[in-house]
Amino acid sequence: MTARNLWDEIPATVPGAAAERQLGAGLYAFRSRTSSVSWWGSFMLLLVTALCVMMIFVISGESEWTNAILFIILGGCTFLGAIAVPLVAWFRPVAWCAVFEHGVVYQYGAQSPIAGAWDEITGCQRHATDLVRNGVTMSTTHSVDVQTPAGNFTVSGDTPDAQEIGALIANGWVAIQNRIAEEDATARMAQLGELLQTGERVAFGPFTVGLAGLEHGGTVTDWKRISEVELMGSTICVVVTGERKPVRVPVSDVPDAVLFLTVSDALRRASRQTR
């Protein structure tokens, strides 16, 4: 899908906020709009209501002067309503959102823009709500809720543009979260490796990891005898060569289970290379 370019419609404060935060090049821009269907729907509702009131007075047999005055008053109200409804919708505060290479900027009406880098976003959730009438899906509203230290905001709409910007924001946040997690895991693995090289052992709940082997229940098993240390459902299984039954421990009992599985696999593979 080709990204819609609305940069000409974005207030100057939005790119300015991005530049101040050094968020990189602009990728996508979105502006929430009031559907014209809602304008004319409101107008038609006013018109039908006015006509019904007029017909009631005509049928009731009121005098011609009374009917004429009512026609003038209701006609004038209908005319003013037909003008006021779209004007109110048109001039209501508009929500702007722009996605950049390194973050996102949001602005509502004349309020100050909220700018945040991907690693500053503390939460991001996408939702899709269907409007169903008589068993038929009439439309789908796509929304993304973003939480940042500078403030929280929601971008929503029932257009492909709303779906596109929601996906871009969510994917950008998930990508940076995965990168941070990988960097953190790499750093922790390096620290753990240095600790093990000094002869220390590290406990992970019921397991204790060391260069000599894996300890569980007071028994140390050499890494060369361990064929698998894997996660099976909600259980961590340690398969020992020559043993009929693997050691099974609930994953909830093992603190930092991902790091335990990673370091166990690394030590098990390293022991095979030293044969």
Side-chain angles (χ1 to χ4, degrees), residues 132-184:
V132 180
R133 292 180 180 173
N134 299 323
V136 179
T137 301
M138 306 300 295
S139 63
T140 301
T141 299
H142 303 277
S143 62
V144 56
D145 300 323
V146 182
Q147 301 172 0
T148 71
N152 304 334
F153 62 88
T154 299
V155 181
S156 64
D158 57 359
T159 64
D161 290 315
Q163 182 179 10
E164 178 73 9
I165 198 165
L168 286 173
I169 294 174
N171 292 341
W173 181 69
V174 168
I176 197 66
Q177 292 300 307
N178 290 338
R179 194 192 75 186
I180 292 174
E182 291 176 0
E183 292 176 351
D184 180 65

Side-chain angles (χ1 to χ4, degrees), residues 22-54:
Q22 299 180 351
L23 296 181
L27 303 179
Y28 197 87
F30 171 76
R31 186 182 78 167
S32 65
R33 299 172 180 269
T34 302
S35 174
S36 59
V37 174
S38 64
W39 302 353
W40 291 109
S42 300
F43 165 69
M44 292 302 297
L45 180 62
L46 287 172
L47 181 60
V48 170
T49 302
L51 289 175
C52 289
V53 173
M54 291 178 187

